[in-house]
Amino acid sequence: MKKVFMQEAIRLSIQRMRQGQGGPFGAVVVRKGKIIGRGWNQVTSSNDPTAHAEVVAIREACRRLGKFQLDDCELYTSCEPCPMCLSAMYWARLKKVWYANTRKDAAEIDFDDDFIYTEVARPIEDRKLPMRQYMRKEALVAFKEWQEKADKIRY
């Protein structure tokens, strides 16, 4: 069955790219042998830099299941995930991820995410994107209230 699921991810990547909807990436989320989420790159067609195929597929699967964790699901993607998508996969608690093209293959066609992998590993003060802490004391109010909130939903 996994061949069928990867073929669908690849089909989406080709079809939607040809339709001008974004880059050549597709993904599907599978649960109990059925596709429950489909995604393709929609960055340029939706003007959303987070609309990568994997994120779109995860969002659809979560919406269909009515839950925010996909711990009994697998994801098939046409390319090794970028750092953002990889993080989304961890947050979704996916059981397993299958990928076709590598991040090196993507870099060869100008989708190079290695700089993000490098940046994330650096100390905050050494990153190219300036980040400065501001108003921590005021922001801690929400954290303290969350900590004491009796009806919170943990994730």
Side-chain angles (χ1 to χ4, degrees), residues 4-87:
V4 171
F5 301 135
M6 186 60 81
Q7 285 174 327
E8 177 63 3
I10 294 167
R11 184 192 71 76
L12 286 167
S13 74
I14 295 167
Q15 178 190 51
R16 301 305 178 143
M17 176 206 48
R18 288 177 179 167
Q19 292 173 347
Q21 294 189 359
F25 305 96
V28 296
V29 175
V30 176
R31 180 174 185 247
K32 297 179 182 177
K34 292 184 181 178
I35 295 175
I36 60 163
R38 284 180 169 79
W40 52 91
N41 184 283
Q42 299 174 32
V43 170
T44 57
S45 60
S46 67
N47 293 316
D48 179 354
T50 68
H52 289 200
E54 299 91 336
V55 171
V56 172
I58 288 169
R59 288 174 180 164
E60 181 180 304
C62 288
R63 187 173 49 252
R64 287 183 71 185
L65 293 178
K67 62 183 196 165
F68 54 84
Q69 291 188 348
L70 303 172
D71 53 339
D72 60 347
C73 299
E74 296 184 353
L75 187 140
Y76 292 76
T77 178
S78 65
C79 187
E80 182 179 352
C82 75
M84 177 187 67
C85 293
L86 180 61
S87 297

Side-chain angles (χ1 to χ4, degrees), residues 129-141:
L129 178 62
M131 297 177 72
R132 303 293 181 259
Q133 189 174 26
Y134 183 62
M135 294 184 70
R136 178 175 179 256
K137 181 181 169 186
E138 294 81 354
L140 279 173
V141 171

